[in-house]
Amino acid sequence: MEKLDTDSIDYLLWSISNNDDQVAYRSLFEQYYVALCQFARRYIDDQETREDIVQDVFFTIWEKRKTIAPCTSARNFLITCVKNLSLNHLRNQGYKQDYETTLQKKLPLYLEDQDDIYTLQELQNLLNKTLEKLPTEYRLAFEMNRFENKSIEEIAEIMGVSSRTVKRYKSRAIEILREELKDYLPLFLLFTRFLN
């Protein structure tokens, strides 16, 4: 299924609520399921529990679709639902902890908005911004190999360096990207082969 522009998330929720639109529901799920599971990681360490929570959110959206206010921000709605279910789960498990402190410890340092969730396009933009910060040689070796499918030997010839040097550039680029994008690595691994 073709991914809709992220600006359409509010329309998707509206269409689910007003038109019982199953295609919009499926699209909303496909675009945000993985991102919401990653968001739930701020509260819940267990992957299976996170997936259950997010599935429960989507189940509830469909079951209670007629009660969703038409002017609701879909992104905020999804985030709030996942956050509330996650905190409820922790309370039900008998955790006696300061949720805000726990949340702050798990947040990536570079997040501008604590409630960010990312679609594939947003992750691609994040990757591109990180690539721009790499030294030119590292970036070129990485991009030619991963985006243009050029072999190490082809890159070495183009760059006028040895194959060993290209391997070192590429390896160092991957190390830096893994470090810079570590909080989003599970999402990148699901969507891309860039950091393998």
Side-chain angles (χ1 to χ4, degrees), residues 25 29 33 36-37 48-61 82 85:
Y25 178 75
F29 181 87
Y33 175 77
L36 289 169
C37 286
E48 193 173 304
T49 303
R50 292 192 306 263
E51 291 172 356
D52 288 345
I53 286 170
V54 174
Q55 287 173 14
D56 286 348
V57 166
F58 279 101
F59 177 78
T60 302
I61 287 171
V82 170
L85 278 182

Side-chain angles (χ1 to χ4, degrees), residues 57-195:
V57 166
F58 279 101
F59 177 78
T60 302
I61 287 171
W62 185 256
E63 288 296 306
K64 299 187 176 184
R65 62 191 176 277
K66 293 299 183 189
T67 63
I68 298 172
C71 59
T72 298
S73 162
R75 188 176 291 244
N76 291 343
F77 179 77
L78 290 171
I79 288 168
T80 300
C81 289
V82 170
K83 180 179 179 180
N84 290 343
L85 278 182
S86 296
L87 293 177
N88 286 343
H89 171 78
L90 290 174
R91 284 187 201 104
N92 291 338
Q93 294 298 310
Y95 285 88
K96 304 292 183 195
Q97 60 188 16
D98 181 354
Y99 298 117
E100 288 301 318
T101 302
T102 301
L103 174 60
Q104 289 305 319
K105 286 180 186 173
K106 292 186 177 186
L107 281 178
L109 297 176
Y110 50 82
L111 273 185
E112 294 175 12
D113 181 355
Q114 291 185 2
D115 291 333
D116 279 346
I117 56 173
Y118 293 94
T119 61
L120 182 56
Q121 182 59 48
E122 290 166 325
L123 286 170
Q124 183 66 50
N125 292 340
L126 186 59
L127 175 65
N128 291 340
K129 286 179 185 173
T130 307
L131 282 170
E132 289 171 9
K133 296 178 189 175
L134 292 177
T136 306
E137 300 84 15
Y138 296 176
R139 183 178 50 78
L140 288 174
F142 180 84
E143 289 178 343
M144 282 192 273
N145 180 250
R146 298 305 172 104
F147 300 148
E148 300 172 23
N149 295 317
K150 292 191 185 309
S151 69
I152 298 297
E153 293 74 24
E154 290 173 312
I155 298 168
E157 188 176 323
I158 292 168
M159 294 181 77
V161 296
S162 70
S163 294
R164 187 175 179 184
T165 300
V166 171
K167 287 178 186 174
R168 193 178 77 239
Y169 288 163
K170 185 181 127 191
S171 176
R172 187 66 186 120
I174 290 172
E175 285 175 29
I176 294 169
L177 289 170
R178 281 185 174 149
E179 179 59 29
E180 289 288 316
L181 302 170
K182 65 183 175 222
D183 294 297
Y184 300 99
L185 193 55
L187 295 176
F188 279 110
L189 293 178
L190 282 171
F191 290 129
T192 70
R193 63 178 191 88
F194 298 146
L195 304 182

